[in-house]
Amino acid sequence: PRFQRAWEQVLARHDMLRTGFIWQDAQAQALQAVYREVALPFAAYDWQARPDQKAALDELSESTRAQGFVLEQAPLLSLKLVRIGHDRFHLIYTNHHILLDGWSRAQLFGEVLQHYAGQPLPAIHGHYRDYIGWLQAQDASLSEAFWKDQLATLHTPTQLARGVSTEP
């Protein structure tokens, strides 16, 4: 319960985590809707006595991944906590890639763990809406020109998956 509460507190703390994306027929782009409150998609399982834990965890992970997200329905993340031993747990955390990058995900987990440990978090400086306003004021053509220049020397795609071993 303390772990779930830590996630709920962080969800309430950050607007982006309560954001959905809505397409309207008259709009040429999605609109971001920040909800005041959302329920944390959290499920807990006790599989301590289950003899097929590894296969069951793989199946739960795959079904969670395959479920995906509905962009209009915030939050675009979910948690499944599986107890696999007296003091051992397996966390299946998913989020839509539109929500967080790798750096932000590390920050998120850091805050959750601070809440879990009962440590105070620093005040948030700035608001998500201010960032969105700044982002919308940027010149897209300048950004495109910058990245075209940065990537001009690349002649073939970078295949990241080739560097990942599929062996256990």
Side-chain angles (χ1 to χ4, degrees):
R2 187 173 64 166
F3 186 67
Q4 183 176 353
R5 280 193 307 275
W7 275 97
E8 290 168 345
Q9 290 172 335
V10 171
L11 189 69
R13 180 175 158 91
H14 295 286
D15 294 345
M16 182 60 205
L17 299 178
R18 299 186 318 277
T19 299
F21 297 85
I22 301 167
W23 283 95
Q24 294 181 338
D25 292 334
Q27 300 293 326
Q29 61 186 12
L31 299 175
Q32 290 179 271
V34 178
Y35 299 90
R36 284 186 178 86
E37 294 180 9
V38 295
L40 175 69
F42 186 93
Y45 305 88
D46 188 344
W47 290 359
Q48 293 178 83
R50 199 167 174 157
D52 63 338
Q53 283 182 356
K54 182 174 178 356
L57 286 169
D58 288 345
E59 183 179 322
L60 183 59
S61 294
E62 179 54 30
S63 67
T64 301
R65 185 201 61 76
Q67 181 180 354
F69 293 97
V70 177
L71 288 178
E72 294 85 3
Q73 296 176 1
L76 300 176
L77 59 84
S78 73
L79 297 137
K80 292 182 170 72
L81 187 64
V82 183
R83 182 178 216 133
I84 57 173
H86 174 69
D87 59 355
R88 293 188 62 219
F89 295 85
H90 185 94
L91 176 65
I92 299 171
Y93 165 83
T94 56
N95 70 265
H96 193 284
H97 67 91
I98 200 171
L99 192 63
L100 299 166
D101 61 9
W103 182 87
S104 300
R105 191 175 299 113
Q107 296 294 112
L108 171 68
F109 275 87
E111 284 194 19
V112 168
L113 293 174
Q114 279 185 269
H115 269 294
Y116 182 77
Q119 298 171 353
L121 293 174
I124 294 176
H125 299 288
H127 297 279
Y128 181 60
R129 68 177 171 266
D130 298 334
Y131 168 69
I132 294 300
W134 172 85
L135 196 59
Q136 289 175 334
Q138 301 308 300
D139 186 333
S141 62
L142 287 176
S143 180
E144 181 180 354
F146 170 82
W147 285 109
K148 281 185 175 181
D149 182 57
Q150 293 295 308
L151 301 172
T153 60
L154 298 177
H155 300 290
T156 59
T158 302
Q159 301 292 331
L160 297 178
R162 287 184 187 163
V164 177
S165 173
T166 57
E167 296 298 316

